[in-house]
Amino acid sequence: MSEGLTLDDLAVPLRALRLLAADFGHLPAPSVEVSTIYPDRLKLTFYDDLSGFEAWRDALSIAPDAVDYHEQSDGRTRVLKATADHAGAGLDLVGYRDITAPAPVEATV
């Protein structure tokens, strides 16, 4: 799909990113991905920062119950995912966070 694409073919997600930067420049900075594989999508990812994910979720008016939660890496990583449309682009919002193992409980005698 990416063969023969030009930068103009990525104009929709790039425009969405520009508008997000103008409207929400005060929010935490995510990792940003624009891909020639999905030229109409913009992906905002937070690693080890679910508070950043939540700030963006709220700013984009994504309802809490629209967030998909699952775990990966044998239950060691929490993953939050949500999708929205913004300025004509599909927007993927993703957050990853290590799940802290509970401290071992010492047996009492």
Side-chain angles (χ1 to χ4, degrees), residues 16-17 20 40-44 56 60 62 82-86 89-93:
L17 179 60
L20 289 171
D40 60 341
R41 301 206 65 78
L42 173 64
K43 186 175 183 180
L44 306 178
W56 277 94
L60 295 168
I62 299 172
T83 59
D85 290 317
H86 190 77
L91 189 138
D92 297 320
L93 183 62

Side-chain angles (χ1 to χ4, degrees), residues 100-106:
T100 306
V105 178
E106 292 185 28

